[in-house]
Structures are given as structure tokens and as C-alpha cells.
Amino acid sequence: YCVPSFTVTNSTDVAIHKIKPPTCLGGLCVDCFAEGNPCGKGCCKSSFIIYDAADEAKTDPKGKILVVPKSWGTELFSDANRFKV
């Protein structure tokens, strides 16, 4: 229950997509190793997988949103975010 998830709906409140990060431990927590070794090139990257709302088993991802870190100075002194879709 420590995993954030989002539901994208249309104008009539029908679910279209579900967005959630990769998980580990049977879905109990966010998988911090999903984008590589956190001590290497995967450091500070977090991803969110996009699924169809009808795909209850979450077996067919439709896309991914990747939060990409910037330099330490930018991360410390601003609230700017950078994403790769």
C-alpha cells in the first residue's frame, strides 16, 4: 500500500488508463532497481508504467514515463522536473 497509482479518466469519468510504478515484494513497494542500478546510470530515475484500464493483470504496458534527474545543483535549488515519455 506504499505504491502510488493514478487513473486517467475521460470526460464522463470512465477509466481509460492506469499509471503506476514498477513494484517488488509482491506489489508492496516501489522497485527502485527497475531503471538500473541506483548507484550507477539508473541513479535517481523513477518510472511510471501506463496500462489500459481494462488490463487488470498489468501484462501489456502501453507506455512509460521516466523522471530523469538533472545536476545536483538544479535538483537542490529548484523544483523543476524533467520527464522522458
Side-chain angles (χ1 to χ4, degrees):
Y1 300 108
C2 299
V3 180
S5 64
F6 307 94
T7 302
V8 179
T9 60
N10 64 13
S11 61
T12 59
D13 285 337
V14 174
I16 299 172
H17 298 294
K18 295 205 177 200
I19 303 172
K20 60 179 272 189
T23 59
C24 60
L25 296 174
L28 294 176
C29 61
V30 176
D31 184 3
C32 59
F33 293 96
E35 296 302 324
N37 181 359
C39 297
K41 291 185 178 182
C43 183
C44 300
K45 291 182 183 177
S46 59
S47 61
F48 292 88
I49 311 295
I50 303 168
Y51 299 98
D52 260 345
D55 185 12
E56 292 297 323
K58 310 284 187 275
T59 56
D60 187 23
K62 299 298 179 191
K64 178 168 59 171
I65 300 169
L66 182 64
V67 180
V68 181
K70 298 182 198 175
S71 69
W72 282 103
T74 304
E75 291 291 332
L76 287 175
F77 299 112
S78 77
D79 61 353
N81 292 316
R82 188 169 74 171
F83 299 95
K84 184 176 181 181
V85 178

